[in-house]
Amino acid sequence: PKGFFLGPTILEDVNVDMSMAKVEAFGPVAALIKGDSLEQAIEWINTKTNLGHSACIFTSNGKDARRFKREVNVGNIGINVGVPQPYSFFPLGSRRESFVGTAKSRLASMRLFMDEKTVCERWI
């Protein structure tokens, strides 16, 4: 009430040309971007932003999940989970212009020089 606080927020109907899709939001904010195909989603993630912290996919198709985690250029991937880092001891690696996530995270100093990708999956 006395500051600039935004509670957990989900933004629907975001498109890849909106600033919300191009600027990193630090906090409990998720932008939902719906695509017409897996190919389109992967292309958007890899080419429509210079950021690379995290991306999530919700699917029942194992082939699509494997392709998504292989091809998207982000440091953290969620498969059927909305937050790819559910525990504090998980690495906070990032890629591209989100690299500061790796440099400032709880990773061991050796890991600073690696290009890691953390994948969290949940299948029911």
Side-chain angles (χ1 to χ4, degrees), residues 85-91 106:
Q85 295 163 310
Y87 302 107
S88 62
F89 55 82
F90 272 51
R106 299 170 292 258

Side-chain angles (χ1 to χ4, degrees), residues 17-100:
D17 296 318
M18 292 179 170
S19 61
M20 181 60 213
K22 296 177 183 276
V23 177
E24 271 185 316
F26 291 94
V29 179
L32 301 181
I33 303 172
K34 295 178 184 176
D36 294 326
S37 66
L38 178 62
E39 293 77 20
Q40 183 183 50
I42 292 170
E43 178 187 352
W44 284 347
I45 292 166
N46 291 338
T47 64
K48 292 290 188 177
T49 180
N50 293 326
L51 304 174
H53 185 270
S54 59
C56 303
I57 184 174
F58 289 84
T59 182
S60 58
N61 186 311
K63 182 179 177 182
D64 288 347
R66 286 187 299 277
R67 180 174 177 203
F68 186 82
K69 66 183 169 182
R70 266 194 327 269
E71 294 184 20
V72 296
N73 187 15
V74 298
N76 306 282
I77 295 177
I79 307 291
N80 298 325
V81 294
V83 179
Q85 295 163 310
Y87 302 107
S88 62
F89 55 82
F90 272 51
L92 290 170
S94 297
R95 294 181 172 189
R96 302 184 289 174
E97 289 184 18
S98 294
F99 178 73
V100 76

